[in-house]
Amino acid sequence: MTAKRRGAQLVMLAFAIVVVMGAYASVGLGIDGQIPSGTFTYGLGLAALMFAAYGVLAKWAPWADPLLLPLVTLVNGLGLVIIYRIEQTGQGGASATNQLMWTALGVVMFSATLIVLKDHRALQRLTYTMGFIGLGLLVMPLLPFVGREINGARIWIGVGPFTIQPAEFSKLALVIFFAGYLVAKRDVLALAGRRLLFIDLPRARDLGPVLVTWGLSLGVLILQKDLGSSLLVFGTFIVMLYVATQRTSWVLIGILLFIGGAVLAGQIFDHVQARFEVWLHPELPEFYDRELGGSYQLMQGLFAFGSGGILGTGLGKGFPDQIPLSFSDFIMAVVGEELGLTGLMALLMVYALIVQRGLRTALAARDPFSKLLAGGLSFILAWQVFIIVGGVTRLIPLTGLVTPFMSAGGSALLANWILIALLVRMSDAARRPPPQAIQNEGLTQVFTR
Amino acid sequence: MSELALLLIRLAFLAVLWFFVIAAVGVIRTDLFGPRTAPSANPRKLPTKPAKNIPAKPKRGEPRQMVVTGGPLQGTIINLTEQPITIGRATDSTLVLSDDYASSRHAQLFPQDGQWIVEDLGSTNGTYLDRSKVTRPTPVPLGTPIRIGKTVIELRK
């Protein structure tokens, strides 16, 4: 199919904005029985923003996937509504106005990326530059003067009055690096090696990149106490390695290294061990009452899911102020309480559809670099949602990560809008119809010497 | 606001949310299989459209784009600048081929006196301009296919 699907895209975009405005009005009705006065101004503001993004997309990436922008609009808009709802309870730190400002900046970054980056293959030439930028951003918070430690994790840098989480941007740079690196090295990674039992083992020297990434993610974990980012980076690298080489042995090696690293970290570091204890027995009073790294937040989140049930308490009718940091890590618990399992599933479906569009782009892309980059970017989005939703619902130990597009936080929002811009750029290239040959040569040819 | 009204609003909102998801899936469906109605309109349109773009004979003037018209990279478009374009399997090439029949530094295209020249860089399997093998740097007319392994490229305005 080579249709541009502009109509479908506009209709879905308008639909997404209507859903968000409905949610906003519904919060007001739930809290005090009145539609909030800002419904139309905020709604129209969001609409103006998103239609501006659409305008840029239609001009600079006309063949792009029609669903990416509407789906992201819905998630980002619902995030705004939930943060507004938490703000109404008076919980400190939640500010819908700030988040709307960051959304506007995110759309600006989205547009800038689409306008500046005419051809994503230019990134392939920046492979190692991106690798260094990614590493630099990852270790930046450790530097004196610029690094800041907030809530026990040293993952921030201070720029004047603002704080930025450079790890959010570093994951984009690292995915670009991984894609470029693996395109260059995939033949040797895929073919060389010997067979042991039924597994193809790679050569020892080809193990280098895996070990470096492993050491890197462990280093981040140790020095910055940031479990989430290290899991994110390591998992993404292993999956991209698997996609590039189609060798199961890489996945097995990755999982073994991960288990080794996790056990090691759990033995040595108190804060990692605390996460495990809390995950396994959150109901024990000694963990529940513990001041640092206790299970209070996790249990409050679980109670929220429980009181939400299948259909939820309704927007504006829950108690998000009972959960510490409900506007950032635990925003999904608020969704689970007020929209119930039904709403939570719908939201997860929207995430799944965003990822599906990304993987579809990877399938349709023509060169291996685009395939790996599109696959890696969609996977990192999916992996991030899995890690945080899995943590909040106690499927896996809780690690601090933002829920993409929903949690309050500027850096993550900007980085994720750039991620979507890259996917849009690649889907534009992948869906553009191939040019017709001017001279049709036919199927057979005669070459004369 | 009564409890009943709130309950209805709640259910309506969840229904609308799911309707959004289903609508999105519907868009994906038409994307995969094409629209359910009036498929006959498309084939008639298709032949007329390229005919407009195809000149009867290659036009004179400076080419602006290099397009890949055949092979695994079909559809790739590279805008021409003053820089030479390298083609081959090496990852620092402008057009990176993943083709067993291509050499790592296979051929290059460079501008000279307003026209583009193709030069074979000592490749194993050769570079063909239209039907003839490129043995020395040769000017490339607009719209003439250059064949490298399975890949066919041509210059466009």
Side-chain angles (χ1 to χ4, degrees), chain A residues 258-339:
Chain A
F258 173 72
I259 293 173
V263 169
L264 200 72
Q267 301 254 307
I268 302 173
F269 303 109
D270 288 342
H271 69 275
V272 180
Q273 203 179 354
R275 297 287 174 101
F276 275 100
E277 289 169 353
V278 159
W279 171 53
L280 291 172
H281 306 287
E283 71 286 354
L284 291 181
E286 52 190 291
F287 296 147
Y288 189 79
D289 295 332
R290 189 159 59 188
E291 191 71 24
L292 260 176
S295 64
Y296 177 72
Q297 187 187 25
L298 183 59
M299 284 303 278
Q300 290 298 321
L302 292 177
F303 288 141
F305 282 118
S307 76
I310 300 285
L311 291 174
T313 57
L315 282 165
K317 287 287 183 186
F319 300 96
D321 49 328
Q322 299 294 312
I323 314 166
L325 292 179
S326 54
F327 51 86
S328 102
D329 289 5
F330 271 69
I331 200 157
M332 275 302 187
V334 183
V335 174
E337 181 176 23
E338 304 212 330
L339 294 177

Side-chain angles (χ1 to χ4, degrees), chain A residues 49 52-57 60 104-117 417-418 421 425:
Chain A
L49 215 53
Y54 170 77
V56 171
L57 188 144
W60 275 278
L105 268 177
V107 170
V108 169
M109 292 302 277
F110 172 86
S111 313
T113 311
L114 277 186
I115 294 170
V116 172
L117 192 70
W417 271 106
I418 297 174
R425 169 53 68 222

Side-chain angles (χ1 to χ4, degrees), chain A residues 320-371:
Chain A
D321 49 328
Q322 299 294 312
I323 314 166
L325 292 179
S326 54
F327 51 86
S328 102
D329 289 5
F330 271 69
I331 200 157
M332 275 302 187
V334 183
V335 174
E337 181 176 23
E338 304 212 330
L339 294 177
L341 185 68
T342 320
L344 196 64
M345 285 298 164
L347 207 53
L348 290 179
M349 274 302 286
V350 174
Y351 277 118
L353 287 174
I354 297 175
V355 173
Q356 191 268 349
R357 293 327 281 164
L359 291 176
R360 177 89 194 91
T361 301
L363 284 178
R366 297 180 183 98
D367 55 317
F369 176 73
S370 310
K371 277 182 190 298

Side-chain angles (χ1 to χ4, degrees), chain A residues 105-424:
Chain A
L105 268 177
V107 170
V108 169
M109 292 302 277
F110 172 86
S111 313
T113 311
L114 277 186
I115 294 170
V116 172
L117 192 70
K118 293 260 167 30
D119 186 355
H120 59 275
R121 282 164 301 174
L123 295 173
Q124 191 171 8
R125 269 167 259 153
L126 297 176
T127 298
Y128 287 93
T129 319
M130 283 296 175
F132 281 116
I133 292 176
L135 277 183
L137 288 174
L138 208 54
V139 298
M140 217 176 193
L142 295 173
L143 302 178
F145 305 121
V146 287
R148 301 257 176 96
E149 184 165 330
I150 300 176
N151 294 333
R154 201 179 166 89
I155 51 174
W156 307 80
I157 55 168
V159 183
F162 298 103
T163 50
I164 295 172
Q165 265 184 302
E168 292 294 335
F169 298 97
S170 99
K171 65 185 193 199
L172 286 180
L174 285 176
V175 170
I176 296 171
F177 166 65
F178 291 160
Y181 175 81
L182 289 171
V183 166
K185 295 283 156 78
R186 66 176 180 156
D187 284 344
V188 70
L189 291 171
L191 299 173
R194 75 172 91 82
R195 207 170 166 80
L196 190 74
L197 292 177
F198 49 90
I199 303 163
D200 288 316
L201 284 179
R203 291 184 305 186
R205 60 179 151 161
D206 297 336
L207 268 174
V210 193
L211 291 175
V212 167
T213 324
W214 180 68
L216 179 78
S217 52
L218 215 58
V220 172
L221 175 65
I222 294 166
L223 297 169
Q224 304 183 352
K225 303 179 185 170
D226 185 6
L227 284 167
S229 292
S230 50
L231 191 57
L232 197 63
V233 168
F234 188 64
T236 306
F237 181 66
I238 294 299
V239 165
M240 288 178 74
L241 198 56
Y242 175 64
V243 170
T245 61
Q246 303 180 0
R247 274 174 89 157
T248 340
S249 65
W250 286 118
V251 179
L252 292 179
I253 291 167
I255 291 172
L256 285 179
L257 277 176
F258 173 72
I259 293 173
V263 169
L264 200 72
Q267 301 254 307
I268 302 173
F269 303 109
D270 288 342
H271 69 275
V272 180
Q273 203 179 354
R275 297 287 174 101
F276 275 100
E277 289 169 353
V278 159
W279 171 53
L280 291 172
H281 306 287
E283 71 286 354
L284 291 181
E286 52 190 291
F287 296 147
Y288 189 79
D289 295 332
R290 189 159 59 188
E291 191 71 24
L292 260 176
S295 64
Y296 177 72
Q297 187 187 25
L298 183 59
M299 284 303 278
Q300 290 298 321
L302 292 177
F303 288 141
F305 282 118
S307 76
I310 300 285
L311 291 174
T313 57
L315 282 165
K317 287 287 183 186
F319 300 96
D321 49 328
Q322 299 294 312
I323 314 166
L325 292 179
S326 54
F327 51 86
S328 102
D329 289 5
F330 271 69
I331 200 157
M332 275 302 187
V334 183
V335 174
E337 181 176 23
E338 304 212 330
L339 294 177
L341 185 68
T342 320
L344 196 64
M345 285 298 164
L347 207 53
L348 290 179
M349 274 302 286
V350 174
Y351 277 118
L353 287 174
I354 297 175
V355 173
Q356 191 268 349
R357 293 327 281 164
L359 291 176
R360 177 89 194 91
T361 301
L363 284 178
R366 297 180 183 98
D367 55 317
F369 176 73
S370 310
K371 277 182 190 298
L372 268 174
L373 186 56
L377 289 177
S378 5
F379 176 78
I380 205 166
L381 204 62
W383 187 221
Q384 204 173 341
V385 173
F386 173 77
I387 291 175
I388 185 63
V389 177
V392 170
T393 53
R394 209 167 75 87
L395 181 70
I396 56 173
L398 178 68
T399 57
L401 266 187
V402 297
T403 317
F405 295 110
M406 288 196 79
S407 296
S411 321
L413 208 52
L414 293 190
N416 284 323
W417 271 106
I418 297 174
L419 188 155
I420 293 298
L422 289 176
L423 281 181
V424 163

Side-chain angles (χ1 to χ4, degrees), chain B residues 83-123:
Chain B
Q83 301 295 318
I85 289 178
T86 53
I87 303 167
R89 291 201 296 177
T91 45
D92 58 345
S93 309
T94 321
L95 184 69
V96 183
L97 303 176
S98 53
D99 183 345
D100 292 340
Y101 296 100
S103 303
S104 43
R105 293 185 201 287
H106 197 109
Q108 70 166 340
L109 283 156
F110 55 93
Q112 200 178 61
D113 304 334
Q115 54 184 350
W116 282 77
I117 315 284
V118 61
E119 180 183 14
D120 190 86
L121 300 174
S123 64

